[in-house]
Amino acid sequence: MKMLVITSIKEDLLAVTHILEKAKVPVFSVTDTIGHKSEHNNYVLNNWFASGDAQTSALFFFSFTDDDKAQQALDLVKKFNNETPSAFPIRAFIVPVEVSSY
């Protein structure tokens, strides 16, 4: 089992939902988040989150799913980012789940 984590700006909600559906991830959660970045950089678009007092409205998706579905979602995120250049690309991570209880 893996934990699939995806972050995106709110405008990419439908794109990420479509990616998860195409990867056949059966269940996932979505939550609003506000990103902050404490580094000072002169060019805000190079950063995932703005610096200083600026905030970025973003979404945090996660799902506990099998290895193949998590990898397929990650591959689809890479494909989306390559085909749809953006100052705020979708980011995805796969985290191994060592122990679970349910």
Side-chain angles (χ1 to χ4, degrees):
M1 179 186 321
K2 302 291 183 188
M3 179 177 174
L4 173 65
V5 179
I6 300 175
T7 61
S8 75
I9 57 175
K10 285 188 175 185
E11 290 79 3
D12 287 332
L13 170 65
L14 292 178
V16 175
T17 300
H18 179 71
I19 286 169
L20 291 167
E21 289 172 352
K22 193 169 182 180
K24 296 185 177 17
V25 174
V27 176
F28 60 90
S29 298
V30 182
T31 186
D32 287 323
T33 188
I34 298 174
H36 297 271
K37 189 168 186 176
S38 60
E39 288 182 23
H40 296 286
N41 189 324
N42 293 332
Y43 189 56
V44 172
L45 292 180
N46 280 337
N47 295 309
W48 175 243
F49 295 122
S51 60
D53 293 332
Q55 300 176 351
T56 302
S57 293
L59 297 172
F60 179 78
F61 299 77
F62 68 94
S63 177
F64 294 96
T65 191
D66 63 49
D67 298 7
D68 292 339
K69 291 175 184 170
Q71 186 60 55
Q72 185 173 0
L74 189 72
D75 293 343
L76 290 167
V77 166
K78 288 178 185 177
K79 181 179 178 185
F80 178 86
N81 286 336
N82 287 334
E83 294 175 354
T84 314
S86 171
F88 302 98
I90 297 171
R91 311 232 185 224
F93 312 88
I94 297 174
V95 182
V97 176
E98 295 181 24
V99 178
S100 65
S101 173
Y102 47 110

